[in-house]
Amino acid sequence: MLFRRTFPARMVEAVGLSPPTCVLLLLSVAAAFCIQSLTGVWVRIPISQSLVPISMMAGAVYFGTRTTPWPRFSAALALASVMIIQLPATCALGYGVQSFGLPLRDDFFVSIDRAFGFDWMNFQSAMVGRSGLIEVLGWAYDAFFPQLGFAPVILVALGEVRRSDRFVSSFILCVMIMVTVSALLPAEGAASLVGPDKVNLLFQGATPLTELRALRDGTLRAVWLDEVGPVISFPSLHCAVAYLVTAAFWPLKRLRWAVVLLNTVMAASAVTHGAHYACDCVAGLLVAAAAFHAAGRLGAWSERISAQMRSAAVLPSALAPTALMS
């Protein structure tokens, strides 16, 4: 019986995942299905794409339960597959909650920015004239998905399996918090400030207003995964990921400052290329900081529980001779 209680934890540990990461992933996927069922807004995933993470997870289990010359390989596969599963769940949650149609809060966010002396239109107009800087910011903005995909694998390759797992769990937790906030405080972002005569101020990451408005009025009910756009304005997911990657790599002194530089620029690109308000970026950083801290606490707690369960499983065999003698 004790072995049965510890077996799931042992299997999870064998593939390089912590129980909190698995639980958070299950909650996120379940929430995505529930939101899609309730709202009727479905993100469609091609069968070929859905088979990729399943195959990767099966490979992680296979290699994790066998002695191989690549002990970290199963962890890299498992964590990468979790990220691949989480990305469509993130899209489904983001699109689904926008159909709730709560009042837009753009005026509120613009007033916060202006209270601190920031005006997006003036800032963006000044930035567009600097083509070299805009090109660098565009490159940093596009580093979002490569960082999400490669950060867990690089950390595992460097022997930081637990830190890689913490990065993945904190990303899932961060997404769940941000989706909830964006459902309660929806916004179109700074793209709503740009008129037809100023379209040159918008770049690839601006909120697709046509899609967002179609979600809100109920005319858009299905979209393919490859066609999903950035419909969450507040908080900024780009800034959140910039923080999470930096926090995950911070102990690695050789990579620390390169990662800090890249993600500082990526956070700035959320304003120029993602058309985010400044308060969106601050909120994204705060949510990410809270999620990373919470993931660390959850990881430490699960390790203590696992250690107690392993001790309990060993205890009967240690007492067996005494029991026989009595």
Side-chain angles (χ1 to χ4, degrees), residues 175-216:
V175 165
M176 295 176 72
I177 296 172
M178 293 179 72
V179 166
T180 303
V181 173
S182 69
L184 299 174
L185 299 171
E188 294 182 334
S192 62
L193 306 176
V194 179
D197 58 330
K198 296 285 186 178
V199 291
N200 64 306
L201 299 181
L202 297 178
F203 296 100
Q204 71 265 30
T207 304
L209 296 181
T210 302
E211 283 190 14
L212 180 60
R213 290 166 182 170
L215 286 169
R216 290 176 58 82

Side-chain angles (χ1 to χ4, degrees), residues 236-253:
S236 167
L237 187 57
H238 257 73
C239 289
V241 169
Y243 180 94
L244 294 178
V245 175
T246 302
F249 278 87
W250 185 258
L252 307 178
K253 295 182 179 180

Side-chain angles (χ1 to χ4, degrees), residues 83-105:
M83 293 300 288
I84 294 175
I85 294 170
Q86 177 57 35
L87 287 176
T90 300
C91 297
L93 288 168
Y95 266 60
V97 299
Q98 299 307 315
S99 66
F100 292 168
L102 294 180
L104 293 170
R105 304 303 299 271

